[in-house]
Amino acid sequence: MEKLKINIDNTFNLVSRDEVYRLKDKVQRSLQSLYNRTGKGNDFLGWIDLPSKITNARLDEIEATAKVIRKKIDVIVVVGIGGSYLGSKAIAEALSDQFALFRSDNTNPHILFAGHNLGEDYHSALLKILDTKRYAIVVISKSGTTTEPAVAFRILKRHLEKKEGKEESKNLIVAITDEKQGALRRMSVKEGYKTYVIPDNIGGRYSVLTPVGLVPLAIAGFDIRQLVKGAESMQLLTGTDIDFNENIAALYAAVRYLLYTRGKKIEILANFESKLHYLAEWWKQLYGESEGKENRGIFPAGIDLTTDLHSMGQYVQEGERIIFETVLSVCRTGSELKIPVDDENLDGLNYLAGKRIDEVNKMAELGTILAHTDGGVPNIRIEIPRINEYHLGQLMYFFEIACGISGYLLEVNPFDQPGVEAYKRNMFALLDKPGFENESKKIKSRIQLRV
Ligand code: PA5
């Protein structure tokens, strides 16, 4: 089976191959401490061998549940935020026909998302669409108490109950949450929802291969077996027994760390397939929350190319030299479309006639990599054979393990996210949440002072 490859040659304008290899021991130690569970945050390492631990029986059960629900619905609404929605969103977008909403021959339910923002217009518009559709809800929250999905779920639950009746709506709601704790667990027990557990030792952003990703994706008709298989193959390809030179996750972690120490504080993940836009959003959460702490960490950004060459391209080429770029390069597209000959050739495009659009895209990619490298933006290229479940599984596990190594190279805990609490405390105080009375007084006097 084909596998992901990495090319770091275009970083050697700033770092050398020798320097990368000199990091070998440090990287191996980081990888070893992930596996030995001796590093920071080691109680959140359940994801590391998860792909090889997912049993067929587990997948059978998820597929059976999905099959029953799929028969009843046109739309599956996934309610969650952060790690509780980005993995399934990234995979669903990457694997979907972007115009499926306009096709009547679609046999799979459409997958929609809620509770990943507090947009009133977004949720109002969603309800209007759901008025006309048969739908089910997968509500996902590890803590079971996150405000955004809790608000969306309350609204959607009410809507579904009104539409389907209280009893039938219970068959159309699946909850994925902590085994014992949290409001969502309590509600699920009381209402009798079908539930799945997010293991204690797996944080949100590493949870795509738990029921968090597998259940909604199975309901939406994606091949979760291939996804797991791809991840499992990458688990084997990036283990502690693999040579540093052969271990693509070790190489990626090493070179991006070196670039960071040379002042490259921003990593841009660039795709030449717009279907991968949300893959970059998932990756941004993974790396941003894992590395960005203790005043350290590479800032993860994403661009869609060639689209953004006509906007952000200028900055990347000539702006402040604090950027390096990682290109997701897809070898083969899923379809073929050729540029036709035109007798009049008024647009002067006949030099491209007979070529596939993807040939033009590939030359744009190569031209961009060379231009950016010449402009002082080191480039890492990750080659993906094609966009399917198997290779997405490989890619996501690759990024997860490389992220764990990267966190340890930076000497931070890659598995916590203390910084996300700050806005929550302020929001709760401003909204007079019970238990936040003192904070409410303080924050309100602060606002008055400013006025
Ligand atoms: O990575 C994380 O842990 C977070 O981003 C969470 O995924 C996010 O905050 C949602 O949390 P929860 O699943 O508890 O609702």
Side-chain angles (χ1 to χ4, degrees):
M1 192 69 97
E2 294 169 301
K3 57 182 187 192
L4 243 58
K5 291 184 187 144
I6 190 168
N7 184 329
I8 60 170
D9 293 354
N10 285 318
T11 62
F12 296 146
N13 48 357
L14 189 67
V15 300
S16 69
R17 199 177 284 277
D18 272 1
E19 284 173 313
V20 175
Y21 289 137
R22 277 205 293 276
L23 271 178
K24 177 181 160 186
D25 291 344
K26 200 168 176 180
V27 170
Q28 292 292 59
R29 275 199 303 278
S30 299
L31 185 58
Q32 202 74 56
S33 27
L34 286 168
Y35 272 96
N36 295 344
R37 274 110 169 131
T38 50
K40 289 182 181 172
N42 55 44
D43 40 355
F44 282 96
L45 281 160
W47 56 272
I48 202 163
D49 49 4
L50 179 66
S52 59
K53 281 190 168 162
I54 301 173
T55 61
N56 278 329
R58 178 67 162 161
L59 295 171
D60 287 345
E61 194 284 326
I62 291 176
E63 283 176 344
T65 302
K67 196 172 166 193
V68 173
I69 296 174
R70 279 162 61 78
K71 280 192 191 141
K72 298 182 174 186
I73 58 169
D74 315 309
V75 170
I76 177 74
V77 184
V78 180
V79 181
I81 196 165
S84 290
Y85 96 102
L86 278 166
S88 56
K89 174 85 175 162
I91 294 168
E93 292 265 328
L95 296 175
S96 294
D97 167 352
Q98 285 143 309
F99 304 100
L101 280 173
F102 298 98
R103 289 171 43 167
S104 49
D105 59 344
N106 216 27
T107 49
N108 288 318
H110 291 296
I111 184 164
L112 301 179
F113 293 84
H116 56 300
N117 62 47
L118 287 167
E120 191 156 337
D121 287 347
Y122 180 93
H123 289 92
S124 304
L126 175 64
L127 288 184
K128 279 198 192 116
I129 287 295
L130 295 178
D131 279 341
T132 65
K133 304 283 179 203
R134 284 220 74 198
Y135 74 98
I137 302 171
V138 178
V139 52
I140 308 173
S141 177
K142 185 170 186 204
S143 61
T145 53
T146 307
T147 310
E148 292 90 336
V151 167
F153 183 55
R154 182 183 275 215
I155 291 168
L156 283 163
K157 175 178 183 284
R158 174 77 54 90
H159 184 270
L160 188 65
E161 285 174 357
K162 237 169 126 183
K163 200 159 178 277
E164 303 285 349
K166 181 108 178 140
E167 279 317 299
E168 176 57 8
S169 66
K170 287 181 186 173
N171 300 323
L172 294 168
I173 294 175
V174 176
I176 305 176
T177 188
D178 183 84
E179 188 177 7
K180 298 187 187 101
Q181 303 171 36
L184 184 56
R185 171 58 59 189
R186 286 194 294 280
M187 202 190 296
S188 304
V189 171
K190 169 133 196 314
E191 301 280 17
Y193 300 146
K194 166 86 184 166
T195 60
Y196 288 91
V197 171
I198 309 176
D200 273 349
N201 59 359
I202 301 181
R205 58 190 177 275
Y206 294 85
S207 70
V208 63
L209 295 172
T210 71
V212 169
L214 300 181
V215 171
L217 289 167
I219 297 175
F222 297 104
D223 187 342
I224 57 172
R225 281 173 200 273
Q226 283 299 316
L227 183 73
V228 172
K229 222 169 155 189
E232 188 179 357
S233 78
M234 190 51 67
Q235 184 189 320
L236 297 175
L237 290 166
T238 55
T240 48
D241 55 331
I242 306 294
D243 256 15
F244 178 71
N245 308 357
E246 300 295 320
N247 187 335
I248 61 170
L251 286 171
Y252 175 58
V255 76
R256 65 193 292 285
Y257 172 73
L258 262 183
L259 291 168
Y260 176 68
T261 62
R262 299 285 153 80
K264 300 296 181 188
K265 308 283 185 196
I266 297 174
E267 178 176 11
I268 300 184
L269 191 69
N271 70 71
F272 281 81
E273 292 292 339
S274 56
K275 288 175 160 205
L276 294 178
H277 174 86
Y278 267 93
L279 201 282
E281 294 302 310
W282 171 84
W283 169 88
K284 275 157 64 177
Q285 187 207 3
L286 181 64
Y287 280 77
E289 277 192 348
S290 299
E291 290 189 312
K293 50 199 70 161
E294 299 178 39
N295 300 323
R296 267 172 259 168
I298 297 170
F299 182 86
I303 51 177
D304 299 329
L305 304 182
T306 63
T307 313
D308 292 337
L309 289 174
H310 301 262
S311 61
M312 293 301 290
Q314 172 59 38
Y315 191 101
V316 179
Q317 191 67 46
E318 295 182 349
E320 191 152 2
R321 305 296 71 194
I322 48 172
I323 298 167
F324 67 98
E325 193 170 40
T326 298
V327 166
L328 296 176
S329 177
V330 180
C331 299
R332 285 190 302 288
T333 58
S335 48
E336 261 193 54
L337 184 58
K338 285 188 177 163
I339 300 163
V341 187
D342 187 286
D343 289 344
E344 291 194 77
N345 195 26
L346 292 176
D347 52 12
L349 276 188
N350 270 355
Y351 78 103
L352 296 177
K355 285 194 196 300
R356 292 178 52 195
I357 295 187
D358 194 51
E359 288 179 71
V360 183
N361 202 22
K362 291 285 186 294
M363 290 309 112
E365 180 185 311
L366 188 55
T368 304
I369 290 176
L370 294 173
H372 288 179
T373 309
D374 291 346
V377 177
N379 188 283
I380 302 169
R381 184 164 167 271
I382 295 167
E383 203 177 286
I384 307 159
R386 58 171 62 217
I387 302 177
N388 57 24
E389 282 90 341
Y390 183 84
H391 291 117
L392 287 172
Q394 281 200 332
L395 184 63
M396 289 172 117
Y397 187 85
F398 157 78
F399 276 135
E400 286 180 356
I401 190 80
C403 187
I405 299 171
S406 297
Y408 284 174
L409 291 176
L410 281 175
E411 295 177 15
V412 297
N413 176 353
F415 308 114
D416 66 359
Q417 55 287 326
V420 300
E421 296 308 313
Y423 97 91
K424 290 186 192 168
R425 278 194 300 274
N426 287 347
M427 178 176 75
F428 294 148
L430 289 164
L431 288 168
D432 296 313
K433 184 173 176 168
F436 284 78
E437 290 76 9
N438 286 340
E439 285 91 339
S440 286
K441 267 188 221 144
K442 271 192 218 147
I443 202 163
K444 285 181 182 168
S445 68
R446 203 173 131 189
I447 294 166
Q448 272 157 16
L449 276 179
R450 280 204 187 137
V451 172

